[in-house]
């Protein structure tokens, strides 16, 4: 870790930005054929953000519709955990049913949302779950979604959802974590708030796993955590980077942000969208290291703090 800190202090903001620009200019290393098939084009939120074929999440396919296996979502590995995450775009009105089908089929327990539904006068993501305890259930084909409870915190909200498959009447619990203070193409104002959020997400996944008992025995960390923002690349990529780097730090006391971002980008194209997000990962990791006893003193990092007019 001290090597990492030295590296960051030496590189400074400008050096890290250069490092990121270099990663960003490499062209994607994979194909986007399914995302480009005409019937699937409408399922992509942004025409310029496509979804890799080699890691995409395959939905069940109905005989009637051979394209029904497509959703804009990719498996992304965690630290020593294959497919720890599913990174995906914010559902569209006509892809909510696919989204819930994915959650069902992949047996997802936790959903992380790092965007608001509405930002800067634009809809960034469909309201795909009932927003309040008293809201009506929402129905998407054979899935019914009900909100059981909602807890608000300073920077995030946790919603306990119940997902019913009305074909079989099977009911499952899903936890929904929404981070509220992360602007599109920006970074959270406060790294500690983000780290606290991440910690809550992980604890929730492990306690839900425990509640399920034997079902996930042998799979220490269980099914993938679904992570999405609007496009599912910028903020989602940043979240996954932090989770992976913290796990590695915990185990080996080392940090490798560049390598982590490169690996994530090889599974989910375009992950991490701005130099600010890349710099933020460094700052957050150092703050984490300090708060958790991996570092005894904080170097001068004022250079890395979010810049006022960065957006
Ligand atoms: N074409 C969109 C745009 O430039 O606005 C694509 C886009 C949107 C890319 C949002 C990234 C975005 O951020 P995030 O992945 O954090 O939602
Ligand atoms: N609107 C997005 C943007 O301009 O950032 C669209 C986009 C997304 C364009 C990714 C290019 C992208 O690739 P890369 O992140 O590799 O530059």
């Amino acid at each position: 870790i001290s090597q990492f800190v030295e590296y960051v202090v030496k590189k400074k903001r400008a050096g890290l930005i250069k490092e990121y620009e270099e990663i960003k200019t490499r062209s994607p290393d994979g194909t986007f054929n399914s995302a480009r098939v005409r019937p699937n084009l409408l399922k992509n939120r942004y025409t310029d953000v496509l979804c890799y074929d080699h890691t995409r999440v395959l939905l069940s396919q109905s005989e009637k519709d051979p394209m029904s296996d497509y959703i804009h979502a990719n498996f992304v590995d965690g630290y020593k955990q294959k497919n720890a995450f599913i990174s995906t775009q914010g559902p569209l009105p006509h892809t909510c049913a696919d989204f819930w089908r994915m959650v069902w089929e992949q047996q997802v327990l936790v959903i992380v949302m790092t965007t608001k539904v509405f930002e800067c006068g634009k809809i960034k993501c469909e309201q795909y779950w009932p927003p309040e305890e008293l809201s009506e259930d929402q129905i998407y084909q054979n899935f019914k979604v009900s909100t059981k409870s909602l807890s608000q915190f300073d920077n995030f909200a946790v919603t306990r959802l119940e997902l019913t498959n009305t074909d079989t009447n099977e009911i499952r619990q899903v936890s929904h974590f929404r981070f509220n203070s992360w602007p599109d193409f920006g970074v959270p104002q406060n790294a500690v708030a983000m780290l606290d959020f991440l910690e809550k997400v992980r604890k929730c996944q492990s306690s839900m796993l425990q509640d399920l008992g034997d079902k996930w025995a042998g799979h220490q960390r269980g099914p993938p955590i679904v992570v999405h923002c609007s496009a599912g690349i910028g903020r989602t990529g940043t979240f996954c980077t932090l989770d992976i780097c913290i796990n590695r730090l915990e185990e080996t006391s080392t940090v490798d942000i560049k390598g982590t971002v490169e690996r994530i980008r090889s599974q989910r194209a375009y992950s991490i969208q701005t130099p600010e997000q890349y710099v933020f990962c460094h700052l957050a990791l150092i703050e984490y290291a300090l708060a958790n006893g991996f570092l005894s003193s904080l170097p001068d990092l004022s250079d890395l703090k979010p810049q006022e007019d960065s957006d």
Side-chain angles (χ1 to χ4, degrees), residues 20 24-26 28 48-49 185 233 265 270 272-273:
Y20 171 71
K24 185 158 175 158
T25 51
R26 296 180 204 156
D48 57 351
V49 179
F185 294 104
I233 53 179
R265 281 177 88 92
Y270 322 123
I272 297 217
Q273 270 290 290

Side-chain angles (χ1 to χ4, degrees), residues 111-115 129 131 149-160 175-181 197 200-201:
I111 298 170
V112 173
M113 168 167 177
T114 54
T115 181
W129 76 102
S149 71
L150 170 65
S151 321
Q152 299 273 7
F153 300 88
D154 278 351
N155 296 287
F156 61 94
V158 183
T159 314
R160 305 282 167 196
S175 297
H176 186 272
F177 282 74
R178 183 167 52 88
F179 196 73
N180 297 322
S181 39
F197 175 71
K200 295 269 185 343
V201 167

Side-chain angles (χ1 to χ4, degrees), residues 108-306:
V108 170
L109 301 171
V110 176
I111 298 170
V112 173
M113 168 167 177
T114 54
T115 181
K116 290 185 198 159
V117 163
F118 199 74
E119 274 172 350
C120 309
K122 286 199 202 114
I123 294 180
K124 294 291 176 148
C125 173
E126 181 66 12
Q127 178 68 52
Y128 59 87
W129 76 102
E132 320 250 356
E133 279 131 342
L134 295 174
S135 312
E136 265 184 53
D137 294 347
Q138 293 184 1
I139 312 259
Y140 299 102
Q141 292 174 8
N142 60 321
F143 293 104
K144 183 176 84 178
V145 190
S146 347
T147 287
K148 292 292 156 193
S149 71
L150 170 65
S151 321
Q152 299 273 7
F153 300 88
D154 278 351
N155 296 287
F156 61 94
V158 183
T159 314
R160 305 282 167 196
L161 300 171
E162 198 171 86
L163 180 61
T164 307
N165 182 336
T166 53
D167 283 348
T168 60
N169 281 327
E170 193 185 336
I171 299 176
R172 294 189 196 155
Q173 313 302 320
V174 177
S175 297
H176 186 272
F177 282 74
R178 183 167 52 88
F179 196 73
N180 297 322
S181 39
W182 197 340
D184 210 353
F185 294 104
V187 296
Q189 275 313 305
N190 180 340
V192 174
M194 181 65 214
L195 294 170
D196 180 41
F197 175 71
L198 200 140
E199 170 83 18
K200 295 269 185 343
V201 167
R202 292 207 212 163
K203 286 216 167 113
C204 177
Q205 167 96 348
S206 59
S207 83
M208 289 183 84
L209 264 184
Q210 253 172 9
D211 292 347
L212 287 177
D214 290 346
K215 185 146 180 255
W216 287 99
H219 298 261
Q220 252 185 8
R221 291 177 69 203
I225 295 179
V226 166
V227 188
H228 77 82
C229 42
S230 184
I233 53 179
R235 292 164 285 186
T236 294
T238 309
F239 179 90
C240 296
T241 301
L242 289 178
D243 187 69
I244 293 169
C245 288
I246 287 174
N247 276 306
R248 177 184 159 123
L249 175 63
E250 290 285 351
E251 195 177 297
T252 66
S253 301
T254 62
V255 178
D256 178 17
I257 291 178
K258 180 164 183 272
T260 302
V261 171
E262 286 169 343
R263 270 191 301 280
I264 293 179
R265 281 177 88 92
S266 73
Q267 298 185 299
R268 174 81 175 162
Y270 322 123
S271 288
I272 297 217
Q273 270 290 290
T274 69
E276 282 306 315
Q277 288 168 348
Y278 190 71
V279 172
F280 174 75
C281 290
H282 292 75
L283 185 67
L285 251 293
I286 292 177
E287 289 196 12
Y288 181 91
L290 186 74
N292 293 277
F294 291 94
L295 269 182
S296 50
S297 67
L298 193 62
D300 176 18
L301 297 171
S302 43
D303 176 50
L304 301 188
K305 294 267 191 280

